[in-house]
Amino acid sequence: TVARETTSENRARGYSIFYMMVNIGAFTGKSVVDPLRKSLGDTGLIYLNYFSAAMTVLALLAIIFFYKSAKTEGQGKSFKELWQGLIRVCSNVRLLILILIVSGFWMIQSQMYATMPKYVLRLIGEGASPGWYANVNPLIVFVCVNMITSLMAKRKALTSMTIGMAIIPVSAFVMSLG
């Protein structure tokens, strides 16, 4: 949607707004769920899944009823064209290598969310709130995404990605010091 609704001049800004909105959702979701988790106790945790599903349906309904594309020209593709495109994409070796790299990143990221709460509870105690520690990431993204987009606006995508990949181990090291 961002690619379709933006021009080459404002595409980076469009993606930064999209990314900011995703992180606002991540921050507010964790802010709401952490008190719910505590109030429901261990036996009521299943209801957090229902809450998450309900919020997802609510967001989908908001998109269906309130979003209208500004660009309606063109026509859709047939199932055959979509399938041929998928085969073409899956046969691109460079893209598959990128997917493996990105998958590795997300494996590390999800490991953080799997192990970090246990680490925080062990380090600080049962009164700790891992959800609030997990909120640091979306908060930092929300606060910094527009500034970073402005700084990287004149750079090529590969340069921006390389700088971002170099920052990841540095930030992990800085977090390990705390």
Side-chain angles (χ1 to χ4, degrees):
T1 301
V2 174
R4 183 180 172 106
E5 300 292 331
T6 58
T7 64
S8 58
E9 293 82 33
N10 65 6
R11 185 152 295 135
R13 178 70 57 207
Y15 276 106
S16 71
I17 291 170
F18 167 76
Y19 197 46
M20 183 190 311
M21 298 309 292
V22 166
N23 282 278
I24 287 172
F27 183 85
T28 55
K30 288 184 192 101
S31 299
V32 169
V33 166
D34 199 49
L36 277 176
R37 180 184 61 82
K38 286 181 180 171
S39 67
L40 292 172
D42 290 340
T43 57
L45 290 181
I46 186 74
Y47 295 111
L48 288 179
N49 293 325
Y50 296 129
F51 174 76
S52 177
M55 292 298 106
T56 302
V57 168
L58 188 65
L60 179 62
L61 290 173
I63 295 298
I64 290 170
F65 290 115
F66 298 116
Y67 173 74
K68 300 292 180 238
S69 176
K71 298 181 180 178
T72 57
E73 74 277 352
Q75 61 184 23
K77 294 182 179 182
S78 70
F79 186 73
K80 181 180 178 183
E81 289 172 316
L82 290 173
W83 185 253
Q84 288 171 339
L86 178 64
I87 291 171
R88 199 168 40 253
V89 165
C90 291
S91 62
N92 184 332
V93 175
R94 291 178 66 192
L95 178 63
L96 294 176
I97 291 170
L98 176 64
I99 289 170
L100 283 173
I101 292 169
V102 171
S103 296
F105 166 77
W106 283 111
M107 284 171 34
I108 292 168
Q109 182 76 359
S110 58
Q111 188 61 31
M112 181 185 91
Y113 285 106
T115 58
M116 191 269 299
K118 293 178 180 97
Y119 173 75
V120 169
L121 290 173
R122 193 175 71 224
L123 184 69
I124 298 174
E126 289 297 320
S129 181
W132 287 109
Y133 293 105
N135 256 344
V136 171
N137 183 39
L139 178 65
I140 295 299
V141 170
F142 167 71
V143 170
C144 297
V145 70
N146 281 321
M147 178 188 64
I148 299 298
T149 300
S150 298
L151 288 172
M152 302 308 284
K154 304 286 186 225
R155 308 255 191 296
K156 292 182 179 182
L158 184 59
T159 304
S160 297
M161 289 171 61
T162 304
I163 291 170
M165 297 283 258
I167 290 172
I168 291 171
V170 172
S171 67
F173 177 71
V174 170
M175 285 189 292
S176 74
L177 298 176

